[in-house]
Amino acid sequence: MGDKLGIGVDIGSTATKVAVLDGTGALVHTELMPTGFSSVDAAERVTDALRAAGFPVDDEGVRVVATGYGRIAVPYANKVVTEITCHGIGAVRLFGPAGTVIDVGGQDTKVIQLKGGRVVKFAMNDKCASGT
């Protein structure tokens, strides 16, 4: 990562989560807020919260990756990535190259199988998670 800050923004159907990593990859800040009715509004609230905490999203030394239900509503994202990919990368970083991730979200449930540090298989339901 060098000296750049990395910011991950996950705008889910019910909650919006943010993680800020410093240039070494250490977690230095988090935010958690309800998404509300609008992913666009959630992205704007993330911007305000990050700026208030001293992390301007439009600074040249900041890289922003967006994921989740509202990922396309983050206009300042340098990259947009699916939740499956993000879960896989995060699980490999935290737990090693093989395993299973289960995500029970507000809109769906996902099960992701990892081998050799890569997503090899995943399943996702097509119903709201509260009904499963």
Side-chain angles (χ1 to χ4, degrees):
M1 246 182 165
D3 60 348
K4 283 191 174 193
L5 285 176
I7 300 176
V9 179
D10 177 358
I11 299 182
S13 62
T14 57
T16 295
K17 292 78 63 181
V18 180
V20 180
L21 304 177
D22 69 10
T24 69
L27 183 65
V28 295
H29 184 77
T30 61
E31 295 281 343
L32 173 64
M33 62 188 74
T35 297
F37 69 92
S38 168
S39 297
V40 173
D41 288 347
E44 290 172 3
R45 283 184 281 119
V46 165
T47 302
D48 294 343
L50 286 169
R51 284 191 177 135
F55 304 108
V57 297
D58 52 2
D59 188 274
E60 198 170 297
V62 176
R63 179 153 172 82
V64 179
V65 176
T67 193
Y69 174 79
R71 66 186 174 268
I72 61 169
V74 185
Y76 47 86
N78 301 100
K79 188 172 185 177
V80 175
V81 182
T82 69
E83 289 175 275
I84 302 292
T85 300
C86 284
H87 286 339
I89 292 168
V92 167
R93 178 179 169 159
L94 292 171
F95 304 110
T100 302
V101 177
I102 300 172
D103 172 18
V104 179
Q107 289 292 317
D108 57 32
T109 299
K110 300 171 198 69
V111 179
I112 306 161
Q113 184 180 13
L114 303 166
K115 284 186 182 173
R118 302 183 71 96
V119 173
V120 293
K121 188 176 181 182
F122 74 92
M124 185 167 72
N125 73 339
D126 61 353
K127 294 180 176 56
C128 178
S130 64
T132 58

